[in-house]
Amino acid sequence: MKTFHLTLANSLVAFVANNFVWFAVTFWVYLETKSVIATSVMAGVFTLTIAFSGFFLGSLVDRYPKKRVMLLSSFASLVLYAIAGFIFITTPYEVFRDASSVRLWIFIILTLVGAIFGNLRAIALATLVTILVPEDGRDKANGLVGTANGVAFLGASIFSGLAVGYLNMFWVIAIAIVVSLLVIAHLATLTIPDLPKKI
């Protein structure tokens, strides 16, 4: 159970970081472009991407060891946030105030895909309940997984609003990169068994 709780805590931090980035980008795009259409398109693309990516992400969780999948999730988010950060610091700020800017939408897509990769970890975490938790405690463990998702959603919405209000997108991306690095480093220290493969 200790390994499950440590993995759950690790995932909670990762969930907060990914939701934090996406909420912050959504708030920031509206504040900079004043375009409801832009934020509506972002919401639509986000929802559709989640719906259609589930099949692909689920197949990865089924096919590969859960720890490797969770590391892949955080590493992919880290790389995408780093690229988004590079685009942010190398682009004149005025460009981001134009809702039709190609660079703005590249930045949005990079952060979107980075956040979506967090769902890979969420799928893997749900399967770890069966692997790491004795049968009589799985109902509570599943409840904790759901609670972690809810807390992450609530916490990220608050923190992202504060970050956009008091900082700027550079610091939002920088925070996400640092947190992703810490999450990867901590997860690497955990020993997570996998289900035996069927012959």
Side-chain angles (χ1 to χ4, degrees):
M1 284 295 289
K2 180 181 178 182
T3 300
F4 171 74
H5 288 135
L6 289 172
T7 306
L8 180 67
N10 182 278
S11 295
L12 173 59
V13 175
F15 294 158
V16 170
N18 289 318
N19 285 321
F20 168 75
V21 170
W22 183 243
F23 288 155
V25 170
T26 303
F27 297 151
W28 174 75
V29 167
Y30 176 73
L31 289 172
E32 295 301 328
T33 65
K34 303 295 189 293
S35 173
V36 175
I37 293 176
T39 52
S40 298
V41 170
M42 289 172 64
V45 171
F46 183 74
T47 303
L48 288 173
T49 306
I50 287 178
F52 289 106
S53 66
F55 299 104
F56 170 67
L57 298 180
S59 68
L60 291 178
V61 173
D62 281 342
R63 190 174 302 173
Y64 299 104
K66 307 303 177 276
K67 179 178 176 178
R68 187 185 304 173
V69 167
M70 296 174 83
L71 285 169
L72 170 65
S73 170
S74 291
F75 184 74
S77 295
L78 171 65
V79 170
L80 290 163
Y81 294 153
I83 297 171
F86 176 78
I87 288 175
F88 185 84
I89 63 177
T90 57
T91 302
Y93 201 81
E94 295 73 23
V95 172
F96 295 122
R97 295 195 169 103
D98 179 7
S100 63
S101 166
V102 173
R103 282 210 165 207
L104 172 64
W105 284 100
I106 291 174
F107 177 81
I108 290 171
I109 290 170
L110 286 168
T111 54
L112 164 67
V113 178
I116 291 294
F117 259 102
N119 290 340
L120 183 58
R121 172 186 282 271
I123 297 169
L125 180 63
T127 66
L128 285 178
V129 172
T130 303
I131 299 172
L132 298 176
V133 180
E135 188 172 352
D136 60 351
R138 288 176 187 166
D139 54 343
K140 294 179 182 178
N142 281 315
L144 288 174
V145 171
T147 300
N149 280 299
V151 169
F153 196 85
L154 175 64
S157 63
I158 296 171
F159 296 145
S160 61
L162 293 172
V164 171
Y166 289 99
L167 303 173
N168 60 37
M169 278 309 301
F170 170 79
W171 288 108
V172 168
I173 297 299
I175 290 169
I177 289 172
V178 170
V179 171
S180 296
L181 284 169
L182 293 174
V183 163
I184 290 170
H186 176 258
L187 183 60
T189 66
L190 301 180
T191 301
I192 301 175
D194 207 26
L195 288 171
K197 293 188 176 182
K198 296 179 181 180
I199 300 176

